[in-house]
PDB file of all heavy atoms in Angstrom:
ATOM      1  N   LYS A  15      -0.634  11.287   4.516  1.00 78.00           N
ATOM      2  CA  LYS A  15      -0.058  10.273   3.627  1.00 78.00           C
ATOM      3  C   LYS A  15       0.279   9.001   4.403  1.00 78.00           C
ATOM      4  O   LYS A  15      -0.043   7.896   3.955  1.00 78.00           O
ATOM      5  CB  LYS A  15       1.206  10.803   2.952  1.00 78.00           C
ATOM      6  CG  LYS A  15       0.939  11.815   1.877  1.00 78.00           C
ATOM      7  CD  LYS A  15       2.258  12.313   1.313  1.00 78.00           C
ATOM      8  CE  LYS A  15       2.060  13.442   0.351  1.00 78.00           C
ATOM      9  NZ  LYS A  15       3.334  13.974  -0.161  1.00 78.00           N
ATOM     10  N   LEU A  41       2.602   3.899  -6.917  1.00 95.00           N
ATOM     11  CA  LEU A  41       2.079   4.972  -6.073  1.00 95.00           C
ATOM     12  C   LEU A  41       2.455   6.336  -6.652  1.00 95.00           C
ATOM     13  O   LEU A  41       1.625   7.246  -6.705  1.00 95.00           O
ATOM     14  CB  LEU A  41       2.592   4.846  -4.640  1.00 95.00           C
ATOM     15  CG  LEU A  41       1.943   3.761  -3.796  1.00 95.00           C
ATOM     16  CD1 LEU A  41       2.755   3.513  -2.528  1.00 95.00           C
ATOM     17  CD2 LEU A  41       0.514   4.130  -3.449  1.00 95.00           C
ATOM     18  N   ASP A  42       3.682   6.460  -7.090  1.00 96.00           N
ATOM     19  CA  ASP A  42       4.154   7.708  -7.684  1.00 96.00           C
ATOM     20  C   ASP A  42       3.394   8.006  -8.983  1.00 96.00           C
ATOM     21  O   ASP A  42       2.873   9.105  -9.176  1.00 96.00           O
ATOM     22  CB  ASP A  42       5.655   7.617  -7.937  1.00 96.00           C
ATOM     23  CG  ASP A  42       6.258   8.913  -8.436  1.00 96.00           C
ATOM     24  OD1 ASP A  42       5.718  10.000  -8.158  1.00 96.00           O
ATOM     25  OD2 ASP A  42       7.307   8.848  -9.117  1.00 96.00           O
ATOM     26  N   ASP A  43       3.291   7.001  -9.850  1.00 97.00           N
ATOM     27  CA  ASP A  43       2.624   7.192 -11.147  1.00 97.00           C
ATOM     28  C   ASP A  43       1.142   7.507 -10.988  1.00 97.00           C
ATOM     29  O   ASP A  43       0.647   8.475 -11.573  1.00 97.00           O
ATOM     30  CB  ASP A  43       2.770   5.938 -12.018  1.00 97.00           C
ATOM     31  CG  ASP A  43       4.192   5.722 -12.511  1.00 97.00           C
ATOM     32  OD1 ASP A  43       5.031   6.641 -12.392  1.00 97.00           O
ATOM     33  OD2 ASP A  43       4.469   4.608 -12.997  1.00 97.00           O
ATOM     34  N   TYR A  44       0.425   6.687 -10.223  1.00 96.00           N
ATOM     35  CA  TYR A  44      -1.018   6.868 -10.071  1.00 96.00           C
ATOM     36  C   TYR A  44      -1.369   8.185  -9.387  1.00 96.00           C
ATOM     37  O   TYR A  44      -2.449   8.725  -9.600  1.00 96.00           O
ATOM     38  CB  TYR A  44      -1.647   5.719  -9.293  1.00 96.00           C
ATOM     39  CG  TYR A  44      -1.693   4.395 -10.026  1.00 96.00           C
ATOM     40  CD1 TYR A  44      -1.765   3.208  -9.317  1.00 96.00           C
ATOM     41  CD2 TYR A  44      -1.665   4.317 -11.411  1.00 96.00           C
ATOM     42  CE1 TYR A  44      -1.812   1.981  -9.968  1.00 96.00           C
ATOM     43  CE2 TYR A  44      -1.709   3.104 -12.066  1.00 96.00           C
ATOM     44  CZ  TYR A  44      -1.784   1.936 -11.349  1.00 96.00           C
ATOM     45  OH  TYR A  44      -1.836   0.738 -11.991  1.00 96.00           O
ATOM     46  N   SER A  45      -0.475   8.679  -8.544  1.00 95.00           N
ATOM     47  CA  SER A  45      -0.763   9.911  -7.805  1.00 95.00           C
ATOM     48  C   SER A  45      -0.123  11.144  -8.444  1.00 95.00           C
ATOM     49  O   SER A  45      -0.139  12.215  -7.848  1.00 95.00           O
ATOM     50  CB  SER A  45      -0.272   9.776  -6.362  1.00 95.00           C
ATOM     51  OG  SER A  45       1.140   9.772  -6.317  1.00 95.00           O
ATOM     52  N   SER A  46       0.439  10.985  -9.627  1.00 95.00           N
ATOM     53  CA  SER A  46       1.136  12.093 -10.315  1.00 95.00           C
ATOM     54  C   SER A  46       2.188  12.734  -9.409  1.00 95.00           C
ATOM     55  O   SER A  46       2.317  13.951  -9.347  1.00 95.00           O
ATOM     56  CB  SER A  46       0.137  13.144 -10.799  1.00 95.00           C
ATOM     57  OG  SER A  46      -0.780  12.564 -11.702  1.00 95.00           O
ATOM     58  N   GLY A  47       2.902  11.896  -8.661  1.00 93.00           N
ATOM     59  CA  GLY A  47       3.998  12.369  -7.827  1.00 93.00           C
ATOM     60  C   GLY A  47       3.635  12.726  -6.404  1.00 93.00           C
ATOM     61  O   GLY A  47       4.507  13.027  -5.606  1.00 93.00           O
ATOM     62  N   TYR A  48       2.356  12.709  -6.056  1.00 91.00           N
ATOM     63  CA  TYR A  48       1.947  13.061  -4.692  1.00 91.00           C
ATOM     64  C   TYR A  48       2.494  12.048  -3.682  1.00 91.00           C
ATOM     65  O   TYR A  48       2.956  12.416  -2.612  1.00 91.00           O
ATOM     66  CB  TYR A  48       0.423  13.148  -4.605  1.00 91.00           C
ATOM     67  CG  TYR A  48      -0.082  13.596  -3.252  1.00 91.00           C
ATOM     68  CD1 TYR A  48       0.019  14.933  -2.868  1.00 91.00           C
ATOM     69  CD2 TYR A  48      -0.654  12.698  -2.365  1.00 91.00           C
ATOM     70  CE1 TYR A  48      -0.439  15.358  -1.630  1.00 91.00           C
ATOM     71  CE2 TYR A  48      -1.115  13.110  -1.126  1.00 91.00           C
ATOM     72  CZ  TYR A  48      -1.001  14.434  -0.769  1.00 91.00           C
ATOM     73  OH  TYR A  48      -1.455  14.841   0.469  1.00 91.00           O
ATOM     74  N   TYR A  49       2.420  10.758  -4.032  1.00 92.00           N
ATOM     75  CA  TYR A  49       2.972   9.705  -3.174  1.00 92.00           C
ATOM     76  C   TYR A  49       4.334   9.290  -3.704  1.00 92.00           C
ATOM     77  O   TYR A  49       4.499   8.228  -4.273  1.00 92.00           O
ATOM     78  CB  TYR A  49       2.035   8.492  -3.099  1.00 92.00           C
ATOM     79  CG  TYR A  49       0.816   8.731  -2.269  1.00 92.00           C
ATOM     80  CD1 TYR A  49      -0.406   8.998  -2.858  1.00 92.00           C
ATOM     81  CD2 TYR A  49       0.882   8.704  -0.882  1.00 92.00           C
ATOM     82  CE1 TYR A  49      -1.535   9.229  -2.087  1.00 92.00           C
ATOM     83  CE2 TYR A  49      -0.229   8.937  -0.110  1.00 92.00           C
ATOM     84  CZ  TYR A  49      -1.438   9.199  -0.717  1.00 92.00           C
ATOM     85  OH  TYR A  49      -2.546   9.431   0.047  1.00 92.00           O
ATOM     86  N   LYS A  50       5.302  10.155  -3.530  1.00 90.00           N
ATOM     87  CA  LYS A  50       6.673   9.866  -3.935  1.00 90.00           C
ATOM     88  C   LYS A  50       7.392   9.375  -2.679  1.00 90.00           C
ATOM     89  O   LYS A  50       7.777  10.157  -1.818  1.00 90.00           O
ATOM     90  CB  LYS A  50       7.339  11.112  -4.504  1.00 90.00           C
ATOM     91  CG  LYS A  50       8.693  10.867  -5.116  1.00 90.00           C
ATOM     92  CD  LYS A  50       9.223  12.090  -5.803  1.00 90.00           C
ATOM     93  CE  LYS A  50       8.635  12.336  -7.164  1.00 90.00           C
ATOM     94  NZ  LYS A  50       8.792  11.313  -8.172  1.00 90.00           N
ATOM     95  N   LEU A  51       7.532   8.054  -2.578  1.00 87.00           N
ATOM     96  CA  LEU A  51       8.077   7.443  -1.371  1.00 87.00           C
ATOM     97  C   LEU A  51       9.496   6.948  -1.575  1.00 87.00           C
ATOM     98  O   LEU A  51       9.867   6.545  -2.669  1.00 87.00           O
ATOM     99  CB  LEU A  51       7.224   6.244  -0.950  1.00 87.00           C
ATOM    100  CG  LEU A  51       5.756   6.483  -0.671  1.00 87.00           C
ATOM    101  CD1 LEU A  51       5.072   5.168  -0.362  1.00 87.00           C
ATOM    102  CD2 LEU A  51       5.583   7.439   0.479  1.00 87.00           C
TER     103      LEU A  51
END
Side-chain angles (χ1 to χ4, degrees):
K15 287 178 187 178
L41 284 166
D42 185 26
D43 290 348
Y44 290 156
S45 70
S46 300
Y48 184 75
Y49 287 102
K50 188 173 281 301
L51 302 176

